[in-house]
């Protein structure tokens, strides 16, 4: 079929008056070739294929998904497109809104968007509007038959979404609840005349496009980490030299932090380029200054274009440099000064107003040396939205949908809904158990495949619960093994003291032990793997170690301590791979067990209202 | 080659032939079985019907001599979404188009089988025509309207054998009778006369496994001849057409019941229903597929069954009969037995081919009932 299509393209006239073209085009569509594939095969712009199809009246029809080949009448409103003869969709003239979901779940794009899409659907239905969901992922709640009024199991591409829009003629399309996939469709859809509800596609583009976003930052007098672009290694070395190491390098064409790396020196930058740079001048490598030991802040806002509601300001437990999707975070803030909070709130509001956000927006800040840097702005629902909604009792996507339908923040008054008086920790669930041989270090590339939420009356309790939820059973006593890289050594005595005061015996490799001893901490030395037997790996296997704190940054140190981390994982020894994580763990272990108890979300909310 | 399908109510779909030129007509039905197209093609019960396979890709594993359910193709035409012309399976001996051409049976592909199925579901099974020669739906519709409806058609003569035969080594074999009409039984099991109204071979295979020695006879095999043969029991096979038209057979069964333990499957079950005072009605679009849930009322167990029937038994005025199995989709009777005599039958196909093997226990149950009746 593919060869036939290719040959046809070479030998034939591509005009709608060519009857032969109609035949092969219909056949190609029946076989499932997308407009884009055909455009590539025939070396024409994508829009041409769509235009030809429309001119020749080749459009999909929508059939119901049922369980037995139409033998029995189906009542579930699931539809799929097909280039066939029948018509199973009954046209209606109700008010309709299309919600675009996130498509297949993958690392970086998970169930959070499912939550948002569900609440968008509920809000639409409660407003008497037919909620039409488009998502190709049957594993989600938003694709349950009773979540929306109609469901299209279709890919989230321009072609498929437009086909549905032409069938359904909705009054608007919601793109900000399905993550990056539907967000990327906002501009093409708008150009095709589709009404995008909420934040305008132009504003979305201003936040998404690197250069346009820099202009926004400049205009508002805000701060970004120093950065640059490079298409080859020479240019990269120059940029890195200019902004000074360490830097974060990433290809501009990937999302979710794939192939993203923290680079500490020239040698590592050379290695990075050797591994990651394909010969693609169109896709330069982005180089940003890496803010070491900065505190990372995630902010979710809800805005109606004028007013801004700061839904949640979360503090990451791991420092900047760990992908935000892999970092635990806590709400309310723990260690950020009131002055910083004020500046964060101000900048968030300024950004929301400048971009005329109607709906949700997420901003990532980093605080380093009293400076507030903006790392990223996403004018859409972020992965923390479900967490913030539950931790504050304010249903953000539900309210955002109402804003898109014309309500104002003033009318909705989220401030009055807000609950507090407790602490919530979001912890990530990492899938390392399922991938033998993979290093468990966290970095700029996202690894987590799930998350849990711990609630408590204070941070220690909330963090302890989150660790239990994520599958880390924290010990109460025993030996704790410490091995940290040189950059983390200044923070070592504090961590050592915390564990020592909790009654743990300290165990460390030579270098780490020396630092601890210097600070008058009692510590036993353990052999490294190459120093003979019994070494630290043997001790882990023999269950002599209750907890591992092992940090490494930079490719070389990472490789050295890999055996330790893998063994800890294999033998189910709890571990921390960052200093911040180790501190939080010590705090959690110190939480008084007898005060830790289980309560429902409703009980937390109710107690707060009474109090 | 372009082809047209038109139903008697005017519903039309264009497609193409994968077997050369044709024009034919018959009752159009659909089967939801995903595999087993060769069994469908060679099942005599489909005689007179054009069968639409709802599964979109048909022919992938070719055809093989081992999967024959009779010696030839019986249905009028096969209607599919897409026919696979290059089968890939180690058992495959030829492709589906070659197989259909060998038996001069039309195959049509490229039609929206789901739209056809939906139409039949909503409007009921009906006659239709397919043609590569006449591509005008109005003309073809007239031809479809001229076809006789399934109700009232006796199709058994087209598929039933002329002479008795035996079943040996998985193949039909010659029979020998002595002068007084006694059959020379091999002593290989319970002596069973099988009336062949359009028998599926897998029923014979399963009867042998269950411990029967079958002697297969034509529908006109008399009661006296059955008695003289020395048989211990009677089995009535599946077959095509409207059971109510087989009046002679029904009369004969009334007599057979007085002499022998009697069992039956499908058409045989419908004939037993008639013989015991029941009746048969036409189903809207029939039961054709491999996933019909049936409950055994004696045990409460639910089995997934293979089915192929357009008529079903209704027991309006049959006091001595009780239902033993019921279809859970529409509550129709799927099995019955006489309250005092050794008579039992099922509507569905416990021999499967194709389909799930849940119902195989029925052959053992037949054997049990017959053994008990003989020793009593």
């Amino acid at each position: 079929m593919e060869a036939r299509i290719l040959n046809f393209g070479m030998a034939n006239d591509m005009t709608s008056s060519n009857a032969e073209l109609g035949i092969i085009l219909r056949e190609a569509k029946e076989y499932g070739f997308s407009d884009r594939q055909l455009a590539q095969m025939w070396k024409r712009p994508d829009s041409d294929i769509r235009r030809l199809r429309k001119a020749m009246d080749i459009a999909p029809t929508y059939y119901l998904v049922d369980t037995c080949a139409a033998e029995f009448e189906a009542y579930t409103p699931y539809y799929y497109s097909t280039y066939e003869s029948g018509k199973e969709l009954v046209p209606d003239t109700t008010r309709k809104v299309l919600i675009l979901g996130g498509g297949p779940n993958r690392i970086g794009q998970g169930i959070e968007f499912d939550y948002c899409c569900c609440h968008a659907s509920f809000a639409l239905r409660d407003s008497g509007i037919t909620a039409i969901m488009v998502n190709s992922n049957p594993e989600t709640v938003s694709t349950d038959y009773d979540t929306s009024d109609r469901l299209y199991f279709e890919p989230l591409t321009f072609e498929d979404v437009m086909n549905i829009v032409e069938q359904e003629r909705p009054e608007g399309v919601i793109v900000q609840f399905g993550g990056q996939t539907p967000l990327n469709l906002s501009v093409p859809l708008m150009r095709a005349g589709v009404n995008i509800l909420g934040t305008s596609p132009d504003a979305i583009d201003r936040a998404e496009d690197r250069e346009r976003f820099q202009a926004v930052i400049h205009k508002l007098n805000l701060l970004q980490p120093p950065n640059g672009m490079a298409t080859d290694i020479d240019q990269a070395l120059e940029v890195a030299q200019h902004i000074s190491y360490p830097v974060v390098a990433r290809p501009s064409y990937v999302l979710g932090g794939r192939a993203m790396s923290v680079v500490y020196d020239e040698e590592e930058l050379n290695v990075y380029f050797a591994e990651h740079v394909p010969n693609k001048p169109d896709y330069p490598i982005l180089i940003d200054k890496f803010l070491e030991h900065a505190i990372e802040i995630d902010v979710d806002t809800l805005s109606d274009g004028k007013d801004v509601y700061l839904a949640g300001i979360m503090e990451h437990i791991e420092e900047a440099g760990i992908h935000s999707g892999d970092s635990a975070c806590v709400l309310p803030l723990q260690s950020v000064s009131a002055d910083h909070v004020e500046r964060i709130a101000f900048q968030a509001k300024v950004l929301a107003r400048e971009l005329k956000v109607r709906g949700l927006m997420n901003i990532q800040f980093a605080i380093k040396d009293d400076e507030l840097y903006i790392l990223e702005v996403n004018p859409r629902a972020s992965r923390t939205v479900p967490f913030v909604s539950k931790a504050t009792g304010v249903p953000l996507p539900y309210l955002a949908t109402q804003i898109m339908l014309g309500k104002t923040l003033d009318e909705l008054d989220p401030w009055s809904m807000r609950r507090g008086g407790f602490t919530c920790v979001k912890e990530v669930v990492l899938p390392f158990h399922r991938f033998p041989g993979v290093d468990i270090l966290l970095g700029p590339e996202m690894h987590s495949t799930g998350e849990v939420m711990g609630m408590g009356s204070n941070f220690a309790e909330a963090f302890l619960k989150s660790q239990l939820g994520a599958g880390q059973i924290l010990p109460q006593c025993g030996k704790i093994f410490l091995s940290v890289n040189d950059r983390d050594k200044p923070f070592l005595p504090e961590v050592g003291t915390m564990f020592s005061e909790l009654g743990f015996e300290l165990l460390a490799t030579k270098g780490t032990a020396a630092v601890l001893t210097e600070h008058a901490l009692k510590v036993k030395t353990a052999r490294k793997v190459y120093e003979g037997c019994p070494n630290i790996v043997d001790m882990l296997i023999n269950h002599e170690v209750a907890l591992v704190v092992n940090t490494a940054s930079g490719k070389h140190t990472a490789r050295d301590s890999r055996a330790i981390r893998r063994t800890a994982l294999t033998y189910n020894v709890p571990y921390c791979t960052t200093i911040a994580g180790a501190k939080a763990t010590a705090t959690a272990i110190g939480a008084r067990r007898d005060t830790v108890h289980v309560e429902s979300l409703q009980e937390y909310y109710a107690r707060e209202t009474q109090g | 080659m372009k082809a047209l399908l038109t139903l008697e109510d005017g519903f039309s779909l264009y497609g193409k032939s994968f077997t050369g030129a044709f024009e034919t007509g018959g009752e159009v039905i659909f089967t939801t079985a995903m595999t087993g197209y060769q069994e469908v093609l060679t099942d005599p019960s489909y005689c007179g019907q054009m069968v639409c396979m709802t599964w979109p890709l048909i022919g992938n594993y070719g055809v093989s001599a081992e999967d024959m359910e009779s010696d030839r193709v019986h249905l009028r035409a096969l209607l599919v979404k897409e026919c696979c012309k290059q089968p890939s399976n180690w058992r495959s001996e030829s492709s589906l188009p070659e197989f259909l051409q060998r038996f001069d049976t039309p195959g049509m592909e490229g039609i929206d089988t789901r739209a056809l199925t939906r139409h039949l579901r909503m409007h009921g099974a009906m006659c239709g025509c397919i043609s590569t020669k006449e591509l005008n739906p109005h003309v073809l519709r007239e031809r479809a309207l001229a076809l006789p409806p399934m109700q009232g058609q006796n199709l058994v003569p087209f598929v039933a054998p002329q002479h008795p035969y035996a079943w040996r080594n998985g193949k039909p074999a010659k029979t020998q009778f002595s002068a007084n009409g006694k059959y020379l039984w091999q002593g290989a099991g319970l002596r069973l006369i099988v009336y062949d109204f359009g028998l599926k071979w897998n029923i014979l295979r399963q009867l042998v496994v269950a411990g029967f020695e079958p002697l297969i006879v034509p529908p006109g095999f008399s009661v006296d001849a059955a008695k003289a043969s020395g048989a211990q029991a009677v089995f009535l096979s599946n077959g095509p057409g409207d059971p109510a038209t087989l009046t002679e057979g029904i009369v004969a069964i009334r007599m057979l019941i007085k002499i022998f333990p009697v069992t039956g499957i499908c058409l045989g079950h419908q004939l037993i229903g008639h013989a015991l005072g029941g009746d048969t009605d036409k189903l809207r679009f029939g039961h054709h597929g491999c996933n019909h849930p049936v409950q055994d009322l004696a045990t409460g167990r639910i089995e997934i069954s293979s089915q192929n029937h357009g008529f079903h038994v209704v027991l309006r005025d049959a006091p001595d009969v009780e239902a033993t199995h019921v279809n859970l989709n529409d509550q129709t009777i799927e099995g019955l037995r006489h309250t005092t005599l050794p008579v039992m039958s099922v509507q569905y196909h416990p021999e499967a081919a194709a389909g799930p093997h849940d119902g195989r226990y029925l052959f053992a149950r037949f054997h049990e009932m017959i053994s008990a009746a003989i020793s009593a």
Side-chain angles (χ1 to χ4, degrees):
Chain A
M1 186 71 211
E2 199 171 340
R4 272 179 54 211
I5 297 170
L6 270 171
N7 292 338
F8 185 88
M10 280 186 255
N12 277 275
D13 182 21
M14 289 287 165
T15 53
S16 54
S17 55
N18 185 350
E20 288 292 306
L21 176 64
I23 293 167
I24 194 155
L25 194 53
R26 173 162 274 280
E27 205 177 339
K29 295 309 284 184
E30 281 175 7
Y31 272 86
F33 286 89
S34 66
D35 284 359
R36 171 161 291 181
Q37 275 175 302
L38 292 173
Q40 277 170 3
M41 287 158 95
W42 289 339
K43 298 191 172 51
R44 303 177 74 86
D46 291 8
S47 55
D48 259 29
I49 307 297
R50 181 167 199 88
R51 195 174 45 72
L52 282 170
R53 275 205 297 111
K54 289 182 89 168
M56 287 182 277
D57 202 21
I58 301 171
T61 179
Y62 292 89
Y63 276 6
L64 272 166
V65 175
D66 62 32
T67 48
C68 193
E71 184 177 14
F72 309 106
E73 191 174 356
Y75 300 100
T76 44
Y78 282 25
Y79 292 91
Y80 65 95
S81 69
T82 176
Y83 285 81
E84 279 288 14
S85 61
K87 206 168 167 67
E88 298 188 10
L89 185 71
V90 186
D92 57 6
T93 50
T94 54
R95 285 187 69 190
K96 298 182 267 196
V97 166
L98 219 61
I99 306 164
L100 303 187
N105 279 356
R106 54 244 190 232
I107 289 177
Q109 180 141 340
I111 286 301
E112 311 80 65
F113 303 124
D114 185 30
Y115 172 95
C116 294
C117 289
C118 283
H119 283 263
S121 180
F122 301 152
L124 289 172
R125 294 172 90 175
D126 290 348
S127 309
I129 296 170
T130 302
I132 302 171
M133 191 75 65
V134 183
N135 201 353
S136 52
N137 185 352
E139 271 290 290
T140 59
V141 180
S142 55
T143 48
D144 278 359
Y145 70 91
D146 51 357
T147 298
S148 56
D149 294 305
R150 263 204 291 290
L151 171 67
Y152 286 88
F153 270 121
E154 291 292 298
L156 278 306
T157 67
F158 175 73
E159 174 187 350
D160 297 285
V161 173
M162 270 317 285
N163 287 341
I164 298 166
V165 167
E166 280 164 9
Q167 277 284 330
E168 289 281 2
R169 310 227 155 267
E171 64 183 66
V173 176
I174 297 178
V175 297
Q176 58 175 269
F177 290 145
Q180 203 62 37
T181 310
L183 201 71
N184 290 345
L185 292 177
S186 63
V187 172
L189 286 176
M190 178 197 67
R191 289 203 184 117
V194 178
N195 179 28
I196 304 291
L197 294 182
T199 312
S200 76
D202 181 60
I204 292 171
D205 192 57
R206 279 180 82 193
E208 295 280 310
D209 183 89
R210 191 180 163 84
E211 277 172 34
R212 292 189 73 189
F213 183 64
Q214 276 183 355
V216 172
I217 292 287
H218 193 71
K219 179 180 167 191
L220 300 177
N221 228 349
L222 305 176
L223 200 60
Q224 257 189 323
N227 58 70
M229 276 195 294
T231 47
D232 58 45
I233 180 65
D234 295 330
Q235 215 178 337
L237 288 168
E238 200 183 301
V239 172
Q241 184 77 38
H242 179 68
I243 63 181
S244 85
Y245 291 95
V247 296
V248 184
R250 64 191 152 117
S252 60
Y253 55 91
V254 299
L255 287 168
R258 253 184 315 133
M260 194 161 164
S261 204
V262 178
V263 173
Y264 286 91
D265 52 37
E266 270 186 28
E267 191 194 333
E268 284 188 7
L269 192 59
N270 277 311
V271 172
Y272 179 86
F273 257 74
E275 279 173 16
H276 292 294
V277 179
N279 290 323
K280 277 188 191 159
D282 301 349
Y283 298 110
I285 295 288
L286 307 180
I287 298 170
D288 293 279
K289 171 75 186 160
F290 176 55
L291 305 170
E292 267 189 300
H293 299 299
I295 298 173
E296 201 167 322
I297 305 286
D298 235 289
V299 181
D300 280 315
T301 67
L302 181 63
S303 170
D304 60 6
K306 289 203 294 281
D307 279 344
V308 182
Y309 168 65
L310 289 170
I313 305 179
M314 288 150 280
E315 179 177 343
H316 285 206
I317 290 171
E318 282 79 16
E319 61 253 15
I322 307 294
H323 192 278
S324 62
D326 274 358
S327 180
C329 68
V330 55
L331 200 156
L333 297 169
Q334 299 295 306
S335 64
V336 180
S337 70
D339 167 54
H340 282 144
V341 174
E342 211 168 286
R343 279 157 65 193
I344 288 166
F346 175 76
Q347 295 195 7
K349 284 181 182 175
V350 164
L351 268 166
R353 286 200 189 102
E354 173 63 27
L355 294 172
K356 295 192 181 61
V357 172
R358 292 174 53 82
L360 294 165
M361 178 172 72
N362 169 267
I363 311 165
Q364 284 164 30
F365 291 100
I367 305 173
K368 163 119 175 148
D369 303 331
D370 205 40
E371 288 289 1
L372 194 57
Y373 296 90
I374 289 175
L375 300 181
E376 213 175 306
V377 171
N378 294 304
R380 58 169 169 87
S382 70
R383 69 173 65 82
T384 45
V385 162
F387 171 68
V388 175
S389 298
K390 286 173 188 172
T392 62
V394 182
L396 296 175
Y398 189 93
L399 298 180
T401 307
Q402 289 183 300
I403 285 173
M404 290 181 220
L405 295 174
K407 285 248 165 61
T408 63
L409 273 175
D410 205 35
E411 291 170 285
L412 296 169
D413 194 12
W415 293 275
S416 69
M417 300 178 193
R418 195 177 182 104
R419 307 299 167 101
F422 43 81
T423 304
C424 298
V425 170
K426 186 206 83 168
E427 178 58 294
V428 299
V429 178
L430 296 158
F432 297 131
H433 268 288
R434 303 197 187 265
F435 298 100
V438 166
D439 200 348
I440 61 175
L441 273 184
L442 300 179
E445 185 169 331
M446 185 167 162
H447 295 294
S448 81
T449 49
E451 58 188 27
V452 293
M453 173 168 167
M455 278 179 101
S457 50
N458 54 39
F459 173 73
E461 186 187 358
F463 189 79
L464 179 66
K465 284 186 184 173
S466 76
Q467 295 305 299
L468 286 171
Q472 286 248 58
I473 311 293
L474 300 180
Q476 287 291 289
C477 59
K479 291 197 182 88
I480 169 162
F481 173 71
L482 298 154
S483 171
V484 303
N485 62 46
D486 290 344
R487 271 186 294 277
D488 288 332
K489 291 227 162 94
F491 306 94
L492 192 59
E494 189 190 344
V495 175
T497 311
M498 285 173 91
F499 281 105
S500 178
E501 280 172 2
L502 287 167
F504 284 86
E505 279 180 63
L506 303 184
L507 188 68
T509 48
K510 242 187 261 163
T512 311
V515 179
L516 291 166
T517 315
E518 244 173 67
H519 288 79
L521 284 159
K522 222 179 116 192
V523 59
K524 278 192 186 155
T525 310
R527 285 197 183 102
K528 285 186 178 170
V529 179
Y530 58 84
E531 290 172 341
C533 287
N535 56 45
I536 177 59
V537 169
D538 299 322
M539 295 176 82
L540 283 168
I541 293 172
N542 294 336
H543 292 283
E544 288 171 44
V545 179
L547 180 74
V548 172
V549 175
N550 181 231
T551 71
S553 37
K555 284 269 143 69
H556 304 297
T557 44
R559 260 176 235 126
D560 292 343
S561 46
R562 189 188 167 109
I564 295 171
R565 292 187 296 271
R566 272 316 300 183
T567 313
L569 183 72
T570 309
Y571 291 89
N572 252 331
V573 183
Y575 57 84
C576 309
T577 57
T578 60
I579 287 289
K583 281 194 216 166
T585 302
T587 315
I589 290 172
R592 287 198 39 212
R593 290 286 166 120
D594 49 348
T595 64
V596 174
H597 53 280
V598 178
E599 276 182 286
S600 69
L601 207 57
Q602 290 76 7
E603 284 170 314
Y604 275 107
Y605 291 168
R607 200 177 49 193
E608 191 268 333
T609 4
Q610 281 159 16
Chain B
M1 194 182 296
K2 197 170 176 180
L4 172 66
L5 161 74
T6 302
L7 302 184
E8 58 181 83
D9 66 355
F11 179 87
S12 294
L13 289 170
Y14 285 97
K16 57 188 181 193
S17 163
F18 60 89
T19 53
F22 55 67
E23 176 163 325
T24 187
E27 187 187 39
V28 183
I29 57 150
F30 63 85
T31 172
T32 56
M34 295 194 283
T35 58
Y37 51 84
Q38 189 185 347
E39 288 87 336
V40 168
L41 290 169
T42 55
D43 178 349
S45 294
Y46 284 107
C47 174
Q49 293 175 316
M50 301 205 293
V51 179
C52 162
M53 306 291 295
T54 59
W55 185 254
L57 200 52
I58 296 294
N60 310 42
Y61 55 87
V63 289
S64 125
E66 289 173 34
D67 293 335
M68 297 297 278
E69 281 303 312
S70 67
D71 60 358
R72 59 185 194 275
V73 171
H74 293 278
L75 48 72
R76 286 276 161 77
L78 186 67
L79 311 174
V80 301
K81 173 66 196 164
E82 187 181 349
C83 169
C84 169
K85 282 105 187 165
Q86 284 99 29
S88 172
N89 188 286
W90 63 276
R91 292 173 71 236
S92 173
E93 288 156 17
S94 78
S95 73
L96 178 58
E98 286 163 3
F99 185 72
L100 284 173
Q101 279 164 339
R102 196 193 320 156
F103 293 100
D104 202 21
T105 305
M108 180 171 168
E109 67 173 335
I111 55 171
D112 186 345
T113 51
R114 183 181 165 86
L116 177 59
T117 302
R118 256 184 116 237
H119 189 81
L120 295 176
R121 183 240 291 161
M122 290 188 287
H123 303 281
M126 62 183 89
C127 287
C129 281
I130 57 170
S131 179
T132 54
K133 299 154 197 163
E134 181 52 68
L135 297 176
N136 180 339
H138 300 291
V139 179
L140 211 56
R141 185 186 176 193
E142 291 306 315
R143 290 179 197 171
L145 281 167
L147 293 169
M150 186 52 76
Q151 222 152 352
Q153 277 200 69
N154 178 5
L155 297 169
V156 170
F158 296 99
V159 297
Q162 300 297 312
H163 306 287
Y165 62 96
W167 184 257
R168 272 188 220 109
N169 305 323
K171 280 199 289 272
K174 284 224 171 81
T175 52
Q176 267 188 302
F177 288 84
S178 57
N180 59 3
K182 189 168 166 53
Y183 171 63
L184 298 174
W185 299 92
Q186 305 289 302
L190 275 179
R191 303 191 295 274
L192 182 72
I193 285 205
V194 174
Y195 276 90
D196 182 346
F197 301 106
L199 178 72
K200 273 172 78 187
W201 284 351
N202 207 45
I203 292 178
L204 294 176
R205 296 177 195 121
Q206 294 304 318
L207 285 170
V208 169
V209 169
F212 291 102
E213 183 188 346
L215 165 66
I216 303 97
V217 300
F221 198 70
S222 72
V223 178
D224 287 341
K227 263 201 285 193
S229 73
Q232 293 168 299
V234 167
F235 174 89
L236 306 169
S237 86
N238 65 305
D242 183 348
T245 60
L246 301 169
T247 46
E248 281 171 41
I250 294 165
V251 171
I253 293 163
R254 283 200 189 112
M255 289 193 279
L256 287 168
I257 287 169
K258 291 181 184 142
I259 306 162
F260 294 105
V262 178
T263 64
I265 286 176
C266 199
L267 182 70
H269 158 87
Q270 293 164 353
L271 294 175
I272 290 172
H274 273 287
L276 295 178
D279 204 350
T280 48
D281 277 352
K282 181 115 170 71
L283 290 160
R284 192 171 165 75
F285 50 85
H287 295 171
H288 312 277
C290 291
N291 63 346
H292 284 259
V294 164
Q295 187 168 33
D296 179 346
L297 297 175
T299 61
R301 267 178 56 116
I302 293 166
E303 53 198 279
I304 301 302
S305 66
S306 178
Q307 300 206 357
N308 173 28
H309 56 106
F311 294 87
H312 69 116
V313 172
V314 279
L315 299 172
R316 285 191 198 98
D317 190 23
D320 298 332
V321 189
E322 63 181 18
T324 56
H325 293 76
V326 63
N327 187 310
L328 295 176
N329 284 339
D330 58 8
Q331 306 301 319
T332 54
I333 292 171
E334 290 289 347
L336 60 81
R337 71 168 180 207
H338 194 278
T339 47
T340 53
L341 295 171
V343 175
M344 68 189 286
S345 60
V346 287
Q347 176 65 73
Y348 63 96
H349 288 269
E351 83 283 6
H357 297 174
D358 298 21
R360 289 227 168 139
Y361 69 91
L362 272 158
F363 291 97
R365 201 181 271 185
F366 288 167
H367 194 273
E368 208 174 288
M369 182 194 78
I370 292 166
S371 304
I374 293 166
S375 55

